[in-house]
Each structure stands twice: as C-alpha cells, then as structure tokens.
Amino acid sequence: MMDVKNTKDAEEELREDVMKLGKDARGFEEEFVEFLKKNQVIGLAVAFIIGTAATALVTSLVKDIVMPVIGVILPGENWQTAILPIGPINFMAGDFVGAMINFIIIALVVFTLVKYIMKADMSKKV
C-alpha cells in the first residue's frame, strides 16, 4: 500500500514542477516577443514580401516593355540568344548583355525610389 503522505508529497512536487514549467514557458514567450520587437522581424518580413513583389514588377517591366524596344533598336532579331564562340567555348553574350541591362534598370529604379523616399524623409525633419 502506498502511504498517503508520500502521495500528497508527490502531488505537491508535481504541482510545483508544473507551475515552474508554466513560468518558464511564459518567460520564453515574453523573451521571444521582445526579440521580435527589438529586431523588427515583422517589418523585415513585410519588406521582404514587398521586395519580392517589386522584383516581379521590375522584371516584367524589363522583359515586357524595355527589351522589345531594345530589340527593335539593335540589329538582329534574337540578340539575347547570341553566342560568342571562342575555340571550344561558347559564351552566351546575348544572355549576359540582357542580364546587364536588367541589372542597370533595376538599379536605376531602386536608386530613384530610395532617393524619393529619403527626400520625403528629409522634408519631414525640417
């Protein structure tokens, strides 16, 4: 037979352990929320999502609007598929030029946006 005193002691010890776990869990939750706030993780996530959407927009702008205009200006129909053979190596020159144009346009768009945002920010401070 189990002693009643031992059972009550075991129940009390179990209750104390459960309470301690609850306090530790609350401490972890508070620490995690503080981490999210301190490091602005939510803002970073929102910026990442907006950046991904902006990337798709700028890529579409380059591919669907700018590149057809460049295709009309440059001689040859499929300049993006142009290959520069040097010995046994085939360099994808057209693809590289297309990627460079893509980069320059994206850099200009980002530069313009940042300049506009910073100008608006500076006007608020004055």
Side-chain angles (χ1 to χ4, degrees):
M1 256 204 234
M2 195 174 218
D3 188 7
V4 174
K5 184 178 179 187
N6 287 340
T7 304
K8 287 186 179 186
D9 288 343
E11 287 176 2
E12 184 60 35
E13 190 176 323
L14 182 61
R15 188 174 296 121
E16 288 174 8
D17 288 346
V18 168
M19 293 298 287
K20 184 179 177 198
L21 282 174
K23 288 178 184 175
D24 288 345
R26 265 186 263 126
F28 174 78
E29 178 184 341
E30 291 170 3
E31 186 179 345
F32 185 68
V33 170
E34 181 183 333
F35 165 80
L36 291 177
K37 288 178 182 177
K38 180 181 174 185
N39 295 306
Q40 300 176 350
V41 175
I42 303 299
L44 180 61
V46 170
F48 179 79
I49 292 167
I50 290 173
T52 302
T55 300
L57 181 65
V58 172
T59 301
S60 177
L61 169 74
V62 171
K63 179 181 164 194
D64 301 330
I65 295 174
V66 175
M67 288 303 187
V69 172
I70 291 174
V72 170
I73 295 172
L74 294 176
E77 293 179 15
N78 294 328
W79 64 273
Q80 284 184 308
T81 59
I83 297 173
L84 178 63
I86 298 179
I89 301 171
N90 290 328
F91 292 101
M92 307 298 284
D95 190 43
F96 178 72
V97 170
M100 268 188 11
I101 293 170
N102 234 357
F103 172 77
I104 291 169
I105 292 169
I106 290 170
L108 286 172
V109 168
V110 169
F111 172 76
T112 305
L113 286 174
V114 169
K115 188 173 179 178
Y116 176 75
I117 291 169
M118 295 305 279
K119 181 179 175 184
D121 190 42
M122 292 302 277
S123 65
K124 288 180 184 178
K125 290 181 181 179
V126 176

